[in-house]
Amino acid sequence: MSETKKTAAAAYSADSIQVLEGLEAVRKRPAMYIGDIGMKGLHHLVYEVVDNSIDEALAGHCDTIHVTILPNNSIKVQDNGRGIPVDMHTKEKRSALEVVMTVLHAGGKFDKDSYKVSGGLHGVGVSCVNALSSDLKVEVFRQGKSYMQEYKEGKPQYPVKETGTTDVRGTTVTFSPDLTIFQVSEYNFDTLSARLRELSFLNKGIKLTLTDERRTNDDGTFVNETFYSNKGLVEFVRFLDGTRNPLIEEVIYMEGEKQGIPVEIAMIYNDSYGENLHSYVNNINTHEGGTHLAGFRSGLTRTLKKYADSSGATSKLKFEIAGDDFREGLTCVISVKVQEPQFEGQTKTKLGNNEVAGAVNMAVAEMLENYLEEHPRDARTIVDKVILAATARHAAKKAREMVQRKGSLNGMGLPGKLADCQEKDPALSELFLVEGDSAGGTAKQGRNREFQAILPLRGKILNVEKAMVHKIYENEEIRNMYTALGVNIGTEEDSKALDISKLRYHKVIIMCDADVDGSHIQTLIMTFYFRYMKELLEGGHVYIATPPLYMVKKGKEGVYCWTELERDTVIERMKAGGKETGVHVQRYKGLGEMNPEQLWETTMDPSRRTLRQITIENGAEADRIFSMLMGDDVPPRREFIEKNAVYAKLDV
Ligand code: 0RA
């Protein structure tokens, strides 16, 4: 049957079938649409719905978005926009609202003028959330009337109905993730709040709130947070820099359109040695960078170099300043809006559009030239910092060459302290990084030497957050880690990327004491991985071992416990089973208090242990946490470590 001959009824049912097929495809292959069906995907549903409201706000029609985690882990997203249109589609024979909610990628079709650039990583739209929800309800408040439609597994339960009159405007979506699809059901407040905070910085002037109806404060109100940023990226950069010491007073900022591409940049220099760049395209964090970042780098280098040369500051320098030197101690956020973004790379978070490089390059040059002109003293500070960085890099290069001549980094010998495993296949091999030589000894005896290797790390490893690069390469514990892992140590000038193709263990497990010191050391090691071996974190290779905290004993029965709750439950049970007396609780403060067999059965045996995988969910948040934890400002660190000492849930 040709298109034109189709009767209206036939067209309707054909369309409905298509819709169902679309939603069924989403339910069959959810990971293709939302990434995965674990914690990431579960939270992605919220972002997808919020993104629609952000779009409405970017179009200038909405300024408040409320997100609520309901007691049963359903989610409600409420905005004060124009409300999704509800008029009947003559061709489709159903409401526009129903089309938006049930047709893949239908979201933007009704408003050609709207400046749509937000939209989740996969840009799949709210219909996808609908397909993956056991129940979803949408309420629209529009032009004095309210409307509603409900769905199960994406299927409408009735046509859109008018429910009354109203004097408010907006759209409210309430959904319950389908637990036959997702492996997890519990929303994490901190994960959602980190994303909403990020969105508030990236979209100034929008108020976002997060309410957790599962938990109340002492005064009986629900746990909640409000995010609002008046100055956008300027405040984002201040937030990211957290406790670092700024070198210049003001955040350097620009916002504007270049070659039709909206570009917003904020940056500041601090006295650290690291580079802290975060880039976004359409509110999506582009972890892998791309053309916008390349444009920024070349614009920054060109402009600063020109200024430094013309000021005469570089005339006596005996070596070239490298690109990296211009970014030492730099904290920067770049946000661009691209109409048709091309995402590339392993995690599809690398911008490919070539035209964006030139636009950002121009924007940076213009912004910086003005700034340097108007702030000669700050300009001098920045140039001095760059020259210092170049000098240190030069020294680091020499230190590295010396280290390499000694032959300890050429992949020949493995570190003497490494107790390697017999297995040669990296995919089957594990490396335990163990705090202290004595616990290292216990682990060596307790392990399964077929596939588990042990590398003891002595005492506190170097705080990489505060050390200069050549110190890091000279540090023995750090060199041992590189050599044991078999990865390169960045010998090539401009290639910072780690070559993990020769990684000798696909599981790297950090095993520290379960006390405040152990937690600190664990954080030091994680910081090192975050700053210098990010590729390992991104590949999901880094884990934390969880030794038990208590042993509750009565007579011959002994039970390991990992939390206070577990401990108390076991004590109660043991007491109930007999007399009050005779129940003995041992608190394990260090790995050293366990014998090899105990360490094996609680912490190392793959069939019984629990490993926590360290991933980078939110790079900006992770960076801030690490710099705070490792920086000079001790009080917040102590507070954080103590609060999280037991199961430090660093959301990274
Ligand atoms: C297209 C057109 C119009 C509103 C929206 C989309 C809209 C979508 C969402 C999704 C969540 N909240 C939303 N709010 C609005 C309205 C066009 C008009 O009124 O002329």
Side-chain angles (χ1 to χ4, degrees):
M1 208 187 317
S2 79
E3 272 298 311
T4 43
K5 276 189 207 152
K6 253 199 267 179
T7 63
Y12 177 59
S13 56
D15 284 339
S16 314
I17 288 165
Q18 260 181 6
V19 167
L20 287 182
E21 279 174 354
L23 297 186
E24 209 34 56
V26 177
R27 291 178 61 81
K28 267 202 189 115
R29 294 201 170 72
M32 257 187 55
Y33 296 85
I34 54 159
D36 70 23
I37 50 171
M39 283 306 260
K40 261 207 178 121
L42 188 75
H43 289 76
H44 194 93
L45 299 179
V46 184
Y47 307 152
E48 203 62 53
V49 179
V50 170
D51 278 336
N52 286 288
S53 300
I54 294 270
D55 276 335
E56 183 66 359
L58 291 178
H61 303 290
C62 157
D63 65 6
T64 308
I65 304 168
H66 296 297
V67 179
T68 310
I69 312 171
L70 297 165
N72 60 354
N73 276 295
S74 295
I75 296 285
K76 182 164 80 179
V77 178
Q78 208 172 354
D79 71 43
N80 64 349
R82 292 165 297 178
I84 302 176
V86 290
D87 46 292
M88 284 301 277
H89 245 237
T90 36
K91 200 179 135 231
E92 301 242 15
K93 282 264 177 0
R94 50 203 173 125
S95 158
L97 176 59
E98 182 174 323
V99 176
V100 169
M101 298 306 295
T102 58
V103 179
L104 289 181
H105 303 290
K109 283 187 191 158
F110 299 93
D111 199 2
K112 285 199 200 73
D113 302 330
S114 92
Y115 194 57
K116 267 208 178 312
V117 285
S118 130
L121 178 49
H122 305 267
V124 287
V126 68
S127 59
C128 193
V129 176
N130 197 8
L132 300 175
S133 295
S134 53
D135 294 272
L136 185 145
K137 175 170 80 180
V138 59
E139 295 158 283
V140 167
F141 307 89
R142 186 177 160 85
Q143 295 163 352
K145 289 181 178 163
S146 58
Y147 306 84
M148 176 161 103
Q149 188 169 37
E150 288 168 274
Y151 317 81
K152 286 186 188 300
E153 300 175 0
K155 295 192 269 293
Q157 299 301 294
Y158 49 82
V160 172
K161 66 181 174 196
E162 204 177 303
T163 50
T165 58
T166 179
D167 48 16
V168 297
R169 290 179 334 148
T171 304
T172 302
V173 175
T174 310
F175 66 92
S176 311
D178 191 332
L179 298 185
T180 65
I181 289 176
F182 290 92
Q183 297 159 330
V184 286
S185 60
E186 292 241 348
Y187 276 101
N188 182 301
F189 185 88
D190 294 340
T191 304
L192 292 178
S193 84
R195 175 59 180 158
L196 296 188
R197 178 182 298 111
E198 189 178 40
L199 283 173
S200 76
F201 284 133
L202 291 168
N203 305 280
K204 61 184 163 200
I206 306 179
K207 182 169 122 180
L208 294 140
T209 73
L210 177 61
T211 305
D212 191 346
E213 293 197 357
R214 301 167 305 181
R215 296 185 296 146
T216 51
N217 296 308
D218 292 342
D219 66 357
T221 57
F222 291 124
V223 169
N224 80 306
E225 253 185 285
T226 298
F227 306 101
Y228 176 84
S229 175
N230 201 11
K231 295 196 184 140
L233 297 193
V234 171
E235 285 166 332
F236 198 2
V237 159
R238 290 266 184 223
F239 174 80
L240 285 171
D241 242 10
T243 55
R244 294 188 181 105
N245 303 314
L247 282 183
I248 56 177
E249 243 168 68
E250 271 174 61
V251 173
I252 308 173
Y253 177 75
M254 76 81 57
E255 180 185 18
E257 204 164 293
K258 286 275 167 294
Q259 304 170 334
I261 300 165
V263 180
E264 198 181 352
I265 306 172
M267 58 182 256
I268 196 164
Y269 280 92
N270 57 58
D271 67 358
S272 82
Y273 305 109
E275 165 184 332
N276 187 12
L277 291 181
H278 299 272
S279 63
Y280 294 83
V281 174
N282 304 347
N283 290 332
I284 299 158
N285 191 183
T286 35
H287 296 280
E288 299 173 276
T291 51
H292 52 330
L293 203 61
F296 171 81
R297 289 199 169 123
S298 77
L300 181 87
T301 301
R302 181 167 59 89
T303 312
L304 279 182
K305 197 166 183 1
K306 197 167 92 188
Y307 184 89
D309 287 345
S310 71
S311 74
T314 50
S315 57
K316 290 201 190 77
L317 225 53
K318 292 198 180 62
F319 41 83
E320 278 291 300
I321 303 180
D324 283 357
D325 301 330
F326 292 98
R327 299 189 300 275
E328 203 180 275
L330 175 68
T331 297
C332 174
V333 181
I334 304 163
S335 172
V336 297
K337 303 276 159 77
V338 181
Q339 284 291 333
E340 283 180 39
Q342 242 84 61
F343 289 113
E344 305 167 348
Q346 284 202 326
T347 55
K348 292 271 173 272
T349 57
K350 181 175 182 183
L351 184 68
N353 305 53
N354 285 319
E355 69 278 13
V356 182
V360 179
N361 191 322
M362 271 170 64
V364 185
E366 194 180 297
M367 162 180 96
L368 264 181
E369 271 164 23
N370 286 338
Y371 180 88
L372 298 170
E373 204 68 31
E374 286 164 20
H375 301 77
R377 228 162 27 123
D378 286 347
R380 180 77 217 185
T381 307
I382 295 172
V383 169
D384 285 350
K385 167 86 174 163
V386 170
I387 291 175
L388 185 68
T391 313
R393 182 180 47 82
H394 194 66
K397 188 167 173 247
K398 289 199 161 156
R400 213 162 46 203
E401 283 166 358
M402 202 178 72
V403 168
Q404 274 155 359
R405 268 199 303 279
K406 280 191 208 157
S408 53
L409 281 177
N410 58 10
M412 304 266 280
L414 290 165
K417 294 209 294 182
L418 174 76
D420 208 2
C421 56
Q422 292 152 355
E423 179 60 56
K424 291 287 169 260
D425 180 356
L428 304 174
S429 306
E430 305 181 342
L431 175 66
F432 281 82
L433 302 172
V434 187
E435 165 198 355
D437 286 333
S438 110
T442 313
K444 278 180 197 174
Q445 291 172 50
R447 68 173 170 154
N448 181 335
R449 65 174 61 241
E450 277 171 34
F451 64 96
Q452 294 180 321
I454 310 289
L455 180 68
L457 298 176
R458 191 183 308 133
K460 305 225 163 184
I461 80 158
L462 189 69
N463 182 350
V464 297
E465 212 52 19
K466 299 210 296 191
M468 291 178 86
V469 181
H470 68 276
K471 287 280 173 210
I472 290 165
Y473 293 131
E474 281 165 15
N475 183 273
E476 193 189 333
E477 308 301 318
I478 287 176
R479 284 207 329 252
N480 282 345
M481 273 199 273
Y482 274 106
T483 333
L485 290 168
V487 296
N488 71 345
I489 192 165
T491 39
E492 266 162 54
E493 276 304 297
D494 275 315
S495 137
K496 276 215 167 158
L498 203 65
D499 177 13
I500 63 167
S501 64
K502 295 198 181 72
L503 185 64
R504 301 180 61 248
Y505 314 91
H506 283 191
K507 279 202 175 77
V508 178
I509 303 166
I510 304 170
M511 189 157 74
C512 289
D513 287 345
D515 61 3
V516 172
D517 263 1
S519 164
H520 187 211
I521 291 165
Q522 181 179 304
T523 313
L524 280 168
I525 302 176
M526 276 163 42
T527 309
F528 166 72
Y529 278 86
F530 181 65
R531 296 280 179 230
Y532 288 86
M533 295 196 177
K534 210 175 209 155
E535 291 81 357
L536 253 68
L537 293 176
E538 283 164 352
H541 295 300
V542 185
Y543 299 81
I544 289 182
T546 57
L549 293 181
Y550 304 97
M551 158 82 96
V552 184
K553 257 194 188 145
K554 189 182 172 187
K556 280 192 184 135
E557 189 192 4
V559 180
Y560 296 109
C561 299
W562 275 261
T563 63
E564 285 173 21
L565 183 69
E566 262 182 84
R567 175 198 64 188
D568 295 342
T569 313
V570 173
I571 294 175
E572 278 311 305
R573 180 174 62 73
M574 287 186 173
K575 278 183 179 171
K579 290 167 285 176
E580 286 273 317
T581 52
V583 181
H584 175 75
V585 179
Q586 184 188 356
R587 163 86 165 94
Y588 290 121
K589 290 204 189 65
L591 300 167
E593 291 175 37
M594 274 183 271
N595 62 39
E597 196 180 319
Q598 287 173 322
L599 192 61
W600 164 254
E601 62 188 28
T602 58
T603 315
M604 300 179 75
D605 177 3
S607 69
R608 283 178 283 186
R609 71 187 178 194
T610 304
L611 295 183
R612 287 163 45 223
Q613 192 175 34
I614 311 294
T615 56
I616 306 173
E617 244 172 58
N618 187 316
E621 192 75 5
D623 176 84
R624 214 183 74 90
I625 289 175
F626 281 125
S627 81
M628 186 256 285
L629 289 176
M630 298 292 103
D632 291 318
D633 213 346
V634 179
R637 169 175 71 216
R638 176 162 305 149
E639 192 184 302
F640 186 92
I641 292 177
E642 278 167 13
K643 201 172 107 200
N644 297 275
V646 183
Y647 281 99
K649 170 114 186 47
L650 281 170
D651 257 331
V652 292

